Amino acid sequence: MPVFYGTEVASPLMLGTAQYPSPAILAAAFRASGAGIATVSLRREAGGGQDFLRLIEGLGVPILPNTAGCHSAREAITTAQMARELLGTDWIKLEVIGHTDLLSPDVFQLVEAARELTAQGFRVFPYCTEDLSVCDRLLAAGCEVLMPWGAPIGSGLGLANPHGLRALRAAFPDVPLVVDAGIGLPSHAAQAMEMGYDAVLLNTAVAKAGDPVAMARAMAGAIESGRAACAADPIEPRDMATPSTPVIGKAFLA
Amino acid sequence: MKLTINGEPRELAATTVAEALAAEGLGEARVATALNGDFVPAALRATTVLSPGDALEVVAPMQGG
């Protein structure tokens, strides 16, 4: 199972807590998924925060707070500091958003925030792109895990750049890698795991499915299959056919 | 004094972050605070003095991906 900053988690499925039809369905989806980590945000307390806190702490999985919606390193750093105090964890899913339509990372401020947060003792999980240079900078900034996007958050498009994600896996064989965002179907999650990714972080694909609990179970199954397939050393694809049935011994009937 | 708390204008007698939280009914809640964009640790709320026009943010864990 994946190990993040020395902590082994129970499943390669990391599941978000937003957009479920009800708190009860959220809890049921988590049970069905066996997710190893739950992500949460910080938002202005308007009365619902205390009940939600009890709900997520009752899920029995480690909590990974995020800095969703932050558009600058400064905002993200302050949010991380508040999250650490509230949730008692130095883990932070670092999001610094650069573009509103794509919710793509601002990789420049991301690196800056990662460096500062690491200096302050945080264990940073950066939501990043699959760009090798950016990932190099994040590792140099102190990150020990990378979370490249599959596709824009909430899009459900799957892995938009599988070649880039594969190259990233090959470039950093010893760094825990998580595909974060863009997953729409179990096959997308399986594809990431087949490539050798350590984990998948998703939310909308489960929460907005017609039956979130059934989809949570489907995602868990796909992730487990993908992980097992990677461990089983898949064949290399080839352009031309190669007969699977032996040629030798075929009767001469022409 | 005039303050902004979570984006809403307020007129409070509070002089510290801790007093402002109590006035908002959040004295006992598990929340985190930031004043004018800077984190205020819980241990410093009672001694962090407010000035007119300050913007206080009070947050809690919520749904997130």
Side-chain angles (χ1 to χ4, degrees):
Chain A
M1 288 297 150
V3 176
F4 300 121
Y5 293 101
T7 298
E8 185 173 14
V9 297
S11 162
L13 173 54
M14 302 161 71
L15 192 55
T17 57
Q19 299 183 301
Y20 293 83
S22 72
I25 292 176
L26 185 163
F30 265 84
R31 282 194 299 274
S33 73
I37 284 178
T39 59
V40 303
S41 70
L42 290 193
R43 288 294 179 264
R44 287 169 167 171
E45 171 59 293
Q50 308 302 302
D51 285 345
F52 184 72
L53 192 50
R54 280 188 286 276
L55 173 68
I56 55 166
E57 288 184 337
L59 295 175
V61 295
I63 295 169
L64 176 62
N66 70 27
T67 64
C70 290
H71 285 255
S72 69
R74 179 169 191 251
E75 273 185 292
I77 290 166
T78 301
T79 302
Q81 291 168 329
M82 293 195 287
R84 177 161 66 179
E85 180 181 272
L86 260 178
L87 294 162
T89 178
D90 50 17
W91 285 8
I92 189 73
K93 177 186 167 184
L94 181 61
E95 292 185 36
V96 185
I97 298 301
H99 195 284
T100 307
D101 288 340
L102 294 177
L103 297 179
S104 49
D106 179 329
V107 296
F108 304 98
Q109 301 226 27
L110 180 68
V111 171
E112 182 187 330
R115 188 180 298 115
E116 174 60 26
L117 287 169
T118 300
Q120 293 184 19
F122 285 90
R123 311 293 184 107
V124 177
F125 294 62
Y127 163 63
C128 57
T129 64
E130 69 278 23
D131 185 284
L132 293 182
S133 305
V134 168
C135 288
D136 252 336
R137 298 289 178 102
L138 288 166
L139 295 174
C143 297
E144 296 180 16
V145 52
L146 298 168
M147 302 210 300
W149 62 349
I153 295 171
S155 68
L157 289 170
L159 308 186
N161 181 9
H163 310 290
L165 290 170
R166 198 173 284 115
L168 186 67
R169 177 71 285 177
F172 303 114
D174 301 322
V175 177
L177 297 181
V178 181
V179 167
D180 175 8
I183 301 294
L185 290 168
S187 53
H188 302 153
Q191 188 186 6
M193 297 303 294
E194 287 164 4
M195 281 181 188
Y197 274 69
D198 296 277
V200 173
L201 199 169
L202 58 93
N203 184 345
T204 307
V206 164
K208 300 293 274 185
D211 184 341
V213 178
M215 187 58 83
R217 200 174 292 118
M219 286 292 182
I223 287 169
E224 178 51 34
S225 290
R227 193 173 77 94
C230 180
D233 189 15
I235 64 164
E236 290 297 323
R238 45 181 287 152
D239 288 332
M240 296 298 168
T242 175
S244 49
T245 302
V247 176
I248 295 171
K250 181 192 173 295
F252 183 77
L253 302 170
Chain B
M1 75 180 87
K2 285 189 186 335
L3 301 169
T4 302
I5 299 183
N6 283 350
E8 299 291 330
R10 289 280 192 276
E11 179 76 43
L12 295 179
T15 59
T16 65
V17 170
E19 288 174 12
L21 278 182
E24 290 289 301
L26 294 169
E28 303 299 318
R30 274 180 68 186
V31 292
T33 52
L35 186 62
N36 301 324
D38 290 324
F39 173 52
V40 179
L44 298 182
R45 287 177 196 159
T47 54
T48 300
V49 175
L50 297 170
S51 302
D54 276 354
L56 180 65
E57 294 287 335
V58 184
V59 301
M62 296 285 176
Q63 293 80 357

